[in-house]
Amino acid sequence: MALSELAEESFGAVEGLLAETGAGGVECIQRSSSMAVSVPGGLEVRVFDEGEDVMVSCERWHTHCEDAEETAWCVRWLMSPFSRIVHEFKGAILAAVWVERYSAVGWEGFEPVYFLNPEYPPEWELEPGQRWFRRIYHQAAVPFAVDLGVVLPGVELVDGLPVGWRGDAFTIEVEESMGLALFEE
């Protein structure tokens, strides 16, 4: 199966941007219609040829891109410690997954993917005994050889990493759904 022109351009753009921004140790493996991008100890990012667009996915989150440069930057940020993936659970039910990016105000969530219907709020009401949980996945500390002071002005770093960065996935209990709030925004 031949790759679409966009996928071919996107795969090349991903590899080029990773090399250009100092992402040493990142491995790109191209398959017939996808590319797997990974680093030891980190999350795997996948890029899929969808014909008219490409899909970028990581830990059950995904987005669609219609431009090779957009695809490359999406992958690059996902391969940095300045992005993380959050799974939100209603009890044991996966409700939403989103990306959080680190900025001067801390971790900010955006681009949620829903597993419960956000247009039907009763589906988001807790049943007796249920609680809200978030499972947070940080990317490995992949180098980012750009001036982050320019790209992310005012960010607070600890040893070059965002405040709150952890090398392992962890789960926290929270009072209410953020996934539903992200939909309303």
Side-chain angles (χ1 to χ4, degrees):
M1 175 175 154
L3 285 175
S4 69
E5 185 176 324
L6 175 60
E8 199 168 308
E9 288 174 15
S10 294
F11 293 176
V14 166
E15 289 177 326
L17 184 61
L18 289 169
E20 190 179 306
T21 58
V26 174
E27 182 177 56
C28 298
I29 300 174
Q30 189 173 327
R31 298 186 174 93
S32 62
S33 63
S34 68
M35 171 185 272
V37 183
S38 62
V39 62
L43 307 175
E44 182 178 80
V45 176
R46 307 268 324 238
V47 182
F48 296 92
D49 184 356
E50 299 277 303
E52 293 184 21
D53 64 13
V54 294
M55 181 175 72
V56 178
S57 72
C58 182
E59 291 296 324
R60 300 184 80 179
W61 172 84
H62 69 277
T63 192
H64 294 269
C65 301
E66 297 177 351
D67 175 79
E69 185 176 356
E70 174 190 17
T71 302
W73 277 107
C74 180
V75 170
R76 183 58 182 110
W77 278 107
L78 287 169
M79 292 306 298
S80 83
F82 297 91
S83 293
R84 66 186 187 183
I85 304 293
V86 178
H87 291 190
E88 184 170 76
F89 292 90
K90 175 186 162 189
I93 300 166
L94 182 59
V97 176
W98 61 85
V99 172
E100 289 187 343
R101 184 170 300 143
Y102 191 68
S103 71
V105 297
W107 292 102
E108 296 181 281
F110 64 98
E111 288 202 35
V113 173
Y114 292 99
F115 296 88
L116 296 180
N117 184 353
E119 295 179 334
Y120 186 66
E123 198 167 59
W124 293 74
E125 293 173 8
L126 294 175
E127 301 293 327
Q130 278 186 327
R131 298 182 315 240
W132 287 107
F133 296 95
R134 292 193 194 126
R135 181 109 176 119
I136 301 169
Y137 299 85
H138 286 263
Q139 184 55 273
V142 177
F144 207 134
V146 296
D147 184 352
L148 291 171
V150 171
V151 178
L152 301 170
V155 297
E156 185 180 344
L157 303 176
V158 176
D159 296 327
L161 295 169
V163 172
W165 181 89
R166 290 178 55 176
D168 57 335
F170 62 98
T171 303
I172 58 172
E173 184 175 347
V174 293
E175 291 297 316
E176 58 188 25
S177 169
M178 184 172 159
L180 194 54
L182 287 173
F183 180 74
E184 293 168 357
E185 293 174 6

